[in-house]
């Protein structure tokens, strides 16, 4: 009866179930009407599939019409999809990514086999957007019979805003984070992301721009007006470097290294920094300077000529007596000594990544830090990491009492800081933090960097946010922590759709786990960034 045509519902983990909607016969085929969701589907041929992601978008007055052996995929969305019309012939495909929004978009396929229209995640289209990968008629050379206007696929990247009354024609390519100005006609493939394109035909008007749906609050708008610059700091090392490895082994023999403080998983490079910078370029292009703190090392792939990239050696920010230092806790207490570091900055381990577009307001609400924490640690949790959290919490408890976020664990991801606030905290707990700043290897007496964000919250300079809690009926999280030896990384990213994520190595991580992680990161961020040679 259905001639091989199917409608599927797909959950966040990629599991599909066939949806059984009662069809009714129309003049040109069978219709499936989904009244609760404002979407009707018409099959004019056979063996075509429609896949709708869960949770379903809030469809309104939307229609899909397909011919033979064609596919339509519309990913999950929490937004409105109004007056979306997709009309397809045979052997064609249309894919629309997550969280698509439109007031009126028409996608019309005419002739052309194996033609696709692909629209990425987080795109917003206003009224009157027309997308046509083929003309609806054939133009040919009368002498040779050569077809002059063959159909061509159209690709639209992630986080693209079409401002309305746009036409996008065959062969068009719109990169990530771009804006198509109102009334523009796109007739060619563009290759520069973070750009504004406008005109008839459209051309590049401005670069190094992007957009967001959220309206900034008053304080954030004022901060933007004052051109608040935000840097980012990474720590990086490579154990494969024989000089570095020998230096570490000799230092470990001289020092009384505590259990687990010298584990190789803390120092092995798996190219995470390269992919973190790719994620930064894609999802946080507004970052000002990128400081990479190392011990006489430089990543071989890094483009040192890029004006944003700054290599900072340990000897430039730490006392000579502390060197060599293999204690990230101690190094982090000294990053405020980086010359040229802006007042507002982010800190990122090299195994943390941007998973989606973030605006500056994600980290700074006006003059305040957004400080992210997860559940409290238990009294019986005596791991080395928890103990160094307790050291800082003990100091804060004596100063402020037993108030949140004292007792909470950090979300172990990219965090926001203010240089002046760190200096103020270091002055208040001078003796204890100085002692933690001079240890060559991690010790149970150290004080974790979480003290600075907790201090910000307790003094009114920070805003506490729990990332382990989600809104009602939503699984979306600001950040999540993954592990190299987990096989469910992609499923968890689809489930929680985090703005930030971490892929953590442990003592159990194997070489095979790391190989799989590299493959996963290459799949996530395949495009080479401007920060690479």
């Amino acid at each position: 009866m259905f001639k091989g045509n199917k409608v599927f519902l797909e959950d966040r983990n990629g599991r599909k179930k066939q949806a059984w909607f009662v069809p009714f016969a129309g003049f040109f085929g069978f219709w499936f009407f989904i009244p609760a969701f404002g979407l009707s589907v018409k099959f004019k041929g056979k063996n075509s599939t429609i896949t709708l992601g869960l949770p379903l978008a809030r469809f309104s007055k939307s229609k899909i019409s397909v011919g033979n052996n064609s596919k339509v995929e519309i990913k999950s969305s929490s937004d409105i999809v109004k007056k979306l019309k997709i009309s397809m012939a045979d052997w064609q495909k249309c894919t629309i990514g997550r969280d698509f929004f439109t007031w009126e978009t028409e996608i019309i396929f005419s002739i052309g086999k194996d033609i696709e229209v692909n629209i990425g995640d987080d795109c917003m289209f206003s009224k009157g957007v027309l997308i046509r990968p083929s003309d609806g008629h054939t133009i040919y050379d009368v002498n040779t019979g050569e077809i002059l206007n063959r159909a061509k696929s159209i690709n639209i990247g992630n986080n693209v805003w079409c401002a309305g009354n746009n036409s996008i024609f065959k062969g068009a390519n719109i990169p990530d984070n771009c804006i198509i100005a109102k009334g523009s006609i796109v007739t060619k493939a563009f290759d520069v992301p973070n750009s504004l394109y406008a005109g008839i035909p459209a051309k590049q008007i401005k670069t190094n721009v992007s957009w967001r749906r959220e309206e900034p609050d008053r304080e954030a708008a004022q901060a933007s007006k004052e051109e608040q610059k935000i840097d980012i700091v990474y720590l990086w090392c490579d154990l494969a470097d024989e000089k570095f490895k020998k230096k570490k082994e000799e230092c470990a023999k001289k020092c009384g290294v505590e259990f687990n403080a010298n584990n190789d998983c803390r120092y092995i490079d798996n190219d995470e920094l390269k992919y973190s910078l790719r994620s930064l370029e894609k999802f946080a292009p507004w970052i000002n300077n990128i400081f990479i703190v190392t011990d006489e090392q430089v990543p071989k792939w890094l483009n040192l000529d890029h004006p944003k990239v700054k290599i900072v050696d340990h000897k430039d920010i730490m006392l000579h007596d502390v060197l060599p230092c293999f204690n990230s806790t101690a190094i982090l207490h000294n990053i405020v000594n980086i010359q040229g570091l802006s007042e507002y900055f982010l800190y990122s381990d090299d195994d943390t990544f941007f998973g989606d577009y973030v605006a500056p307001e994600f980290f700074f609400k006006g003059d305040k830090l957004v400080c992210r924490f997860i559940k409290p640690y238990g009294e019986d949790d005596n791991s080395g990491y928890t103990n160094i959290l307790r050291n800082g919490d003990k100091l804060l408890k004596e100063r402020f009492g037993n108030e949140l976020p004292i007792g909470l664990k950090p979300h172990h991801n990219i965090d926001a800081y203010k240089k002046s606030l760190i200096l103020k905290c270091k002055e208040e707990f001078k003796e204890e933090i100085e002692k933690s700043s001079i240890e060559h290897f991690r010790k149970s007496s150290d004080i974790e960097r979480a003290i600075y964000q907790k201090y910000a919250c307790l003094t009114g300079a920070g805003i506490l946010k729990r990332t382990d809690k989600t809104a009602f009926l939503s699984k979306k999280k600001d950040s999540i922590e993954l592990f190299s030896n987990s096989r469910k990384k992609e499923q968890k990213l689809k489930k929680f759709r985090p703005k930030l994520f971490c892929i953590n190595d442990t003592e159990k991580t194997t070489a095979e786990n790391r190989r799989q992680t590299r493959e996963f990161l290459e799949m996530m961020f395949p495009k080479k960034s401007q920060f690479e040679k």
Side-chain angles (χ1 to χ4, degrees):
M1 179 180 178
F2 302 145
K3 299 181 179 180
N5 297 308
K6 297 178 181 178
V7 177
F8 291 101
L9 299 179
E10 182 178 40
D11 67 17
R12 293 178 187 273
N13 294 318
R15 294 188 293 259
K16 292 183 180 180
K17 289 186 178 179
Q18 189 169 350
W20 296 100
F21 299 109
V22 178
F24 63 89
F27 189 70
F28 290 107
F30 285 96
W31 285 83
F32 287 75
F33 187 55
I34 313 173
F37 306 113
L39 172 67
S40 59
V41 175
K42 182 179 181 180
F43 292 109
K44 298 181 292 184
K46 59 184 180 181
N47 299 326
S48 289
T49 59
I50 311 292
T51 303
L52 304 174
L54 297 173
L56 287 172
R58 290 176 284 164
F59 290 103
S60 173
K61 300 179 181 178
S62 295
K63 296 180 180 181
I64 300 173
S65 174
V66 295
N68 298 291
N69 301 291
S70 290
K71 294 181 180 180
V72 176
E73 296 180 12
I74 303 177
K75 301 295 185 181
S76 63
S77 179
S78 57
D79 227 322
I80 296 170
V81 177
K82 184 177 182 180
K83 294 185 179 179
L84 171 66
K85 295 181 181 179
I86 302 174
S87 178
M88 305 174 69
D90 303 336
W91 298 96
Q92 295 167 344
K93 183 177 180 181
C94 180
T95 302
I96 298 177
R98 298 192 313 262
D99 292 321
F100 177 66
F101 168 94
T102 185
W103 278 105
E104 184 183 16
T105 294
E106 192 167 8
I107 304 173
I108 302 175
F109 290 76
S110 296
I111 55 176
K113 187 178 178 181
D114 298 327
I115 299 301
E116 298 185 10
V117 170
N118 298 304
I119 300 173
D121 297 335
D122 299 305
C123 290
M124 183 169 76
F125 292 1
S126 188
K127 290 185 178 180
V129 176
L130 174 64
I131 300 174
R132 295 203 63 158
S134 51
D135 291 336
H137 58 269
T138 300
I139 300 174
Y140 61 92
D141 187 305
V142 295
N143 294 318
T144 64
E146 180 187 359
I147 297 175
L148 304 177
N149 66 331
R150 290 188 182 278
K152 295 180 182 178
S153 295
I154 292 174
N155 293 293
I156 299 173
N158 299 313
N159 198 54
V160 171
W161 173 22
C162 289
N165 296 325
N166 302 133
S167 295
I168 302 171
F169 291 126
K170 57 181 182 292
N173 179 75
I174 302 174
D176 295 343
N177 307 315
C178 285
I179 303 164
I180 307 300
K182 188 174 182 178
S184 299
I185 298 178
V186 181
T187 59
K188 60 186 288 188
F190 298 119
D191 57 5
V192 182
N194 301 102
S195 296
L196 169 64
Y197 295 97
I200 303 174
K203 62 181 180 179
Q204 188 182 57
I205 301 298
K206 194 170 184 179
T207 59
N208 297 319
V209 298
S210 192
W211 67 282
R212 60 179 179 273
R213 300 188 197 192
E214 302 86 2
E215 181 179 355
D217 59 33
R218 188 172 298 175
E219 287 182 322
Q222 181 62 30
S224 297
K225 193 179 292 183
E226 295 171 359
E227 296 185 351
Q228 181 185 59
K229 292 182 178 180
I230 301 172
D231 294 337
I232 191 167
V233 178
Y234 287 93
L235 301 193
W236 178 83
C237 65
D238 182 9
L239 190 62
D241 178 358
E242 288 298 326
K243 182 180 178 182
F244 175 86
K245 186 176 182 180
K246 182 179 179 181
K247 190 190 300 185
K248 182 175 76 74
E249 290 172 350
E250 290 176 350
C251 187
K253 289 179 182 179
K254 294 179 182 178
C255 303
V257 181
E258 295 185 8
F259 175 73
N260 202 32
N262 195 29
N263 193 290
D264 283 353
C265 71
R266 300 184 186 279
Y267 310 100
I268 291 176
D269 176 43
N270 196 32
D271 276 345
E272 295 97 339
L273 178 60
K274 178 170 70 176
Y275 294 105
S276 185
L277 292 180
R278 289 184 184 184
S279 76
L280 180 153
E281 180 183 67
K282 184 175 183 179
F283 295 128
W286 42 265
I287 291 290
N288 184 38
N289 287 318
I290 300 167
F291 293 96
I292 301 172
V293 181
T294 76
D295 178 11
E296 298 181 328
Q297 293 182 303
V298 177
K300 295 178 181 178
W301 48 264
L302 188 65
N303 177 15
L304 294 176
D305 293 328
H306 195 283
K308 284 189 175 184
V309 174
K310 321 286 181 186
I311 293 291
V312 179
D313 197 88
H314 291 180
K315 64 178 177 292
D316 297 328
I317 60 173
M318 304 183 75
L319 295 173
H320 178 75
D321 293 345
V322 188
L323 302 177
C325 184
F326 306 94
N327 180 0
S328 61
T329 302
I331 300 167
L332 287 168
H333 286 310
N334 287 281
I335 61 176
V336 288
N337 299 326
I338 294 174
Q339 187 174 1
L341 181 66
S342 62
E343 166 70 355
Y344 300 87
F345 70 94
L346 309 179
Y347 169 73
S348 174
D349 289 325
D350 62 2
D351 59 0
T352 52
F353 309 87
F354 295 92
D356 202 348
Y357 179 79
V358 290
E361 292 80 28
F362 182 81
F363 296 103
F364 298 97
K365 293 288 186 181
D367 200 43
K368 295 184 178 182
L369 317 180
V370 179
C371 305
R372 293 179 167 84
F373 297 91
I374 57 174
K375 61 185 180 180
Y377 51 79
E379 292 184 6
D380 57 345
D381 185 349
N382 290 310
S383 66
Y385 178 70
T386 301
N387 284 333
I388 68 173
L389 282 176
R390 282 198 179 95
N391 297 334
D393 282 352
K394 182 180 178 181
L395 296 176
L396 294 171
K397 191 182 292 187
E398 292 172 355
R399 167 71 170 77
F400 297 100
N402 194 19
E403 299 287 337
L404 290 178
I406 294 172
L408 295 181
K409 290 183 177 181
H411 71 145
H412 195 72
N413 226 301
I414 301 169
D415 281 322
Y417 296 92
K418 280 180 67 177
K419 195 159 62 171
S420 60
L421 197 64
I422 291 178
L423 293 172
K424 185 178 178 182
C425 181
K426 289 180 75 172
E427 183 62 31
E428 187 151 354
F429 305 108
K430 186 174 182 178
E431 183 178 344
E432 294 85 354
I433 291 179
E434 279 188 354
K435 184 178 179 182
S436 184
S437 301
I438 59 174
E439 299 291 351
H440 296 275
F441 286 90
R442 182 180 293 195
K443 285 192 172 183
S444 56
S445 58
D446 284 347
I447 295 173
E448 218 270 343
R449 63 183 167 97
I451 191 173
Y452 298 123
Q453 286 211 324
K454 293 182 178 183
Y455 181 81
C457 292
L458 294 166
T459 57
I463 300 168
L464 171 62
K465 186 163 186 183
R466 291 282 295 270
T467 63
D468 57 328
K469 297 183 177 181
T470 58
F472 183 63
L473 295 179
S474 172
K475 294 184 178 181
K476 194 168 184 178
K477 292 186 177 183
D478 279 3
S479 71
I480 61 171
E481 183 177 7
L482 307 173
F483 292 90
S484 285
N485 54 357
S486 170
R487 295 183 178 180
K488 297 183 178 181
K489 291 186 274 289
E490 188 173 1
Q491 292 93 321
K492 287 186 177 180
L493 289 180
K494 287 181 178 179
K495 179 179 180 180
F496 297 114
R497 293 182 292 159
K499 297 286 189 180
L500 311 170
F501 67 94
C502 167
I503 302 182
N504 213 357
D505 268 9
T506 69
E507 293 84 353
K508 297 180 180 179
T509 302
T510 65
E512 177 60 19
N513 294 150
R514 293 190 176 96
R515 185 192 65 77
Q516 292 171 356
T517 296
R518 283 196 306 275
E519 288 182 354
F520 170 74
L521 290 171
E522 182 65 29
M523 177 198 70
M524 287 289 298
F525 308 109
K527 187 177 179 181
K528 183 177 177 180
S529 79
Q530 60 187 306
F531 310 117
E532 299 169 46
K533 292 178 180 177

